[in-house]
Structure formats: C-alpha cells, structure tokens
C-alpha cells in the first residue's frame, strides 16, 4: 500500500466536504458541520481521538466512536496505518476524482498521439472537450505538465504540446 498526499486549499476542502454531506441525516450533517468549523484549529493532517472528542463531542454530544464512524463514512478522516487512535484528514470521494484524472490523462494522450506528428497546438488542445472527465481540460493539462507527462515546445506560431516519451518506448 502506498500513501498519497495532496495539497488542497481549505475553501476547496470545505466545499468538497459540504458536497459529501448533502442528503445525509441531521446527526451526520451536524457532526460534519462541527468538524468543518473546527478545521482552522487543526494545524496538521493528523487528527487524534482526543481532537475528535474536543471537536465533535463537545459540539453535538455524539459519542467519540459514533463521531469517528460518521467522519470516516463521509470521508473526512481515514485511520492511520498501525494505530487505532490516530487519523489523517481525507478528501471525500477521492476515488472518483482519481478515476477522472486517469481517464482524462489517457484521453489527452490519445488526442495528441492521433495527430500526424504526435503534437498539437496548445490553444487547439485547450478547446477540446473531454468525454471522460467532469473537470475542464486546462486542469488536466496542468496536471499532466506537473507530472512531466507532456512536453511543451515554443514555436513561432505558438506552443506545441506532445506526450513525453517513456524510456520503455525508446528502442
């Protein structure tokens, strides 16, 4: 198992968690809202059982174990490996996000590879609509650039984008 870490702006995290709370029971929504209100006090990604007691129990009267269960079920926290009393902050529904990113990477790579010289002007690529992702293509272009999956070449007519060659592809 590998651990992944991400940087997410607090406002985006709050929006994501609020979205995950839609349609939940009043008790679960209240526990989630109290947790959201306490986020500014959390200075690191680790959350202890005592933190949960101080945050959720005092705000709602929900027992520690019930609060932990609720926060885990809505995706706000995950248990740290090898411990039962420590948790990490988590991004709700992160699995769907990762699937979208993977599918979009494949789709963009295919768009570029179908071109005669396996490159496309950046402005033209940015106008394409992705069929397999809910996010915009500019997000995915930046993601792929940050992962060194795309190569950008400045030319007299603009920037050309190509897929980086894997060492495995070279003969």
């Amino acid at each position: 198992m590998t651990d992944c870490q991400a940087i997410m702006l607090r406002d985006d995290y709050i929006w994501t968690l609020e979205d995950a709370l839609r349609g939940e029971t009043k008790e679960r929504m209240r526990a989630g809202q109290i947790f959201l209100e306490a986020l500014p006090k959390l200075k690191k990604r680790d959350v202890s059982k005592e933190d949960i007691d101080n945050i959720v129990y005092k705000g709602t009267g929900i027992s520690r174990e019930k609060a932990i269960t609720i926060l885990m079920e809505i995706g706000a926290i995950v248990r740290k490996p090898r411990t039962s009393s420590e948790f990490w902050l988590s991004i709700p529904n992160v699995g769907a996000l990762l699937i979208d990113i993977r599918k979009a990477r494949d789709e963009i790579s295919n768009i570029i590879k179908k071109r005669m010289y396996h490159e496309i002007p950046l402005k033209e690529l940015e106008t394409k609509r992705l069929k397999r992702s809910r996010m915009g293509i500019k997000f995915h272009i930046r993601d792929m650039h940050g992962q060194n999956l795309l190569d950008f070449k400045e030319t007299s007519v603009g920037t050309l984008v190509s897929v980086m060659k894997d060492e495995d592809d070279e003969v």
Side-chain angles (χ1 to χ4, degrees):
M1 181 175 106
T2 60
D3 296 325
C4 295
Q5 296 183 24
I7 295 173
M8 186 176 211
L9 298 174
R10 184 180 297 155
D11 289 344
D12 291 337
Y13 182 78
I14 290 169
W15 180 86
T16 303
L17 197 52
E18 285 173 343
D19 191 50
L21 290 170
R22 283 195 185 95
E24 292 288 346
T25 65
K26 286 184 180 182
E27 179 185 54
R28 292 167 68 94
M29 286 180 70
R30 184 69 186 133
Q33 286 299 327
I34 294 291
F35 184 74
L36 283 172
E37 291 167 12
L39 270 178
K41 297 174 191 161
L42 299 174
K43 301 296 182 200
K44 51 188 178 166
R45 66 185 176 138
D46 298 3
V47 181
S48 68
K49 283 187 175 182
E50 290 74 31
D51 292 334
I52 292 170
D53 270 348
N54 292 332
I55 295 168
V56 180
Y57 176 72
K58 289 183 179 173
T60 63
I62 298 171
S63 73
R64 174 198 292 178
E65 293 307 316
K66 179 79 171 167
I68 289 170
T69 300
I70 290 170
L71 293 173
M72 288 180 74
E73 286 175 353
I74 63 176
I77 59 173
V78 293
R79 205 174 291 280
K80 278 176 80 170
R82 298 180 207 89
T83 180
S84 62
S85 62
E86 293 285 320
F87 303 87
W88 282 327
L89 293 177
S90 177
I91 301 170
N93 301 320
V94 73
L97 174 68
L98 295 175
I99 290 168
D100 273 1
I101 289 172
R102 172 79 56 179
K103 287 180 178 181
R105 286 178 180 175
D106 291 342
E107 190 173 346
I108 291 169
S109 293
N110 288 334
I111 289 169
I112 296 169
K113 288 177 180 177
K114 286 180 182 178
R115 301 295 295 237
M116 180 182 244
Y117 297 106
H118 303 287
E119 54 191 17
I120 186 171
L122 177 60
K123 290 207 182 277
E124 183 180 338
L125 181 60
E126 289 176 340
T127 64
K128 301 283 185 186
R129 298 222 358 113
L130 297 175
K131 297 173 188 153
R132 300 165 60 189
S133 177
R134 292 169 274 176
M135 293 173 281
I137 194 164
K138 288 184 180 183
F139 169 85
H140 293 292
I141 292 169
R142 289 184 188 116
D143 165 61
M144 291 178 75
H145 181 64
Q147 294 295 317
N148 288 326
L149 299 174
L150 296 178
D151 186 31
F152 295 82
K153 295 178 195 145
E154 292 297 325
T155 68
S156 59
V157 294
T159 305
L160 290 177
V161 181
S162 60
V163 177
M164 293 286 277
K165 298 214 184 308
D166 289 336
E167 283 131 25
D168 299 339
D169 292 345
E170 295 176 13
V171 180

